[in-house]
Amino acid sequence: MTMSLSAIISSGVGGIAVALITYLTTRPRTRAEARKLEAEAERTKAETAKLLAESATQLTSEVDSTDLPKGWHVTGGQPEDYSYGLDNQVHQSGTASAFIRARPNPRKFGSLIQSFHADDYTGKRVRLSAMIRTKDVTQYAAIWLRVDAQGRSIAFENTQSESRKLSGTRGWTRSEIVLDVPPEGEKILLGAFLSGNGCIWIDSFTFEVVGDDVPLTEEPAQESSTQPVNLGFTKGLN
């Protein structure tokens, strides 16, 4: 049986209407979900920073120190869920790299860390960089840098944000942090960490003083508005 022209047109218009309604109703939801994911990412970053701040002074004894690169220690949210060591086969320069590899069903994250007195760097701008290679990383790999004074963190940054984190399987990739060391800084801590399944290799760490012309890498926090905005809905979409 053939359909009449009016039926075909009616059917087409109906399909377009359904598609339009679906688009209009799902678009806000997609934006809301995106904002939710961003909020969750920021919350995870804040939790990681807090755990690093708390655990960096509580170096774990559950990892055999003979497996660790000289001068490095282990910390993290659940450091025993990861293994650490040197890899003489995989390296970006020199003769070896350090690795962090997840054990089955890892919780939170594991980190390699070292610390030193801040005397030579107080009041200066410094840059920490490293080359990182990843394999099957399900969450993220990142480097971090912290300055302590009187037993608490007074400056901190990591590369865990959505635009800077490393995940999946990637070849050698450079990560860096540029941070100002406060004049009252007493100790500097730095390292790399892995969260989730997979393995990372870290090589070619550098730590250096740079000039004020080198921009800071910290991503500015979103400031809360002090006044209501767009009350007349005339400024378009976000």
Side-chain angles (χ1 to χ4, degrees), residues 14-137:
I16 293 172
V18 170
L20 181 59
I21 292 171
T22 301
Y23 171 74
L24 291 174
T25 55
T26 58
R27 185 178 60 176
R29 183 183 307 166
T30 302
R31 286 206 179 109
E33 290 173 351
R35 285 194 293 268
K36 181 180 179 182
L37 289 174
E38 290 173 359
E40 289 176 351
E42 285 301 313
R43 182 167 61 252
T44 302
K45 181 180 178 180
E47 290 174 352
T48 303
K50 182 175 183 293
L51 285 168
L52 281 171
E54 292 174 346
S55 60
T57 55
Q58 302 171 1
L59 304 179
T60 181
S61 60
E62 299 182 32
V63 176
D64 188 348
S65 61
T66 60
D67 294 335
L68 299 177
K70 184 178 180 179
W72 292 86
H73 305 281
V74 167
T75 187
Q78 217 73 49
E80 66 274 15
D81 287 0
Y82 299 83
S83 59
Y84 314 81
L86 288 178
D87 192 325
N88 296 308
Q89 302 299 316
V90 178
H91 46 86
Q92 188 269 337
S93 65
T95 59
S97 66
F99 69 82
I100 304 175
R101 181 178 293 113
R103 301 182 190 275
N105 303 313
R107 300 160 292 172
K108 298 183 180 179
F109 66 95
S111 176
L112 283 170
I113 174 181
Q114 67 170 267
S115 63
F116 49 94
H117 293 296
D119 298 359
D120 292 340
Y121 302 98
T122 53
K124 299 177 181 178
R125 180 164 295 183
V126 298
R127 175 167 56 202
L128 172 70
S129 63
M131 300 296 293
I132 299 181
R133 178 174 173 176
T134 64
K135 182 179 180 181
D136 301 330
V137 173

Side-chain angles (χ1 to χ4, degrees), residues 100-101 132-138 167-171 194 197-201:
I100 304 175
R101 181 178 293 113
I132 299 181
R133 178 174 173 176
T134 64
K135 182 179 180 181
D136 301 330
V137 173
T138 56
S167 60
T169 299
R170 299 182 60 170
L194 170 65
N197 290 301
C199 179
I200 66 170
W201 292 264

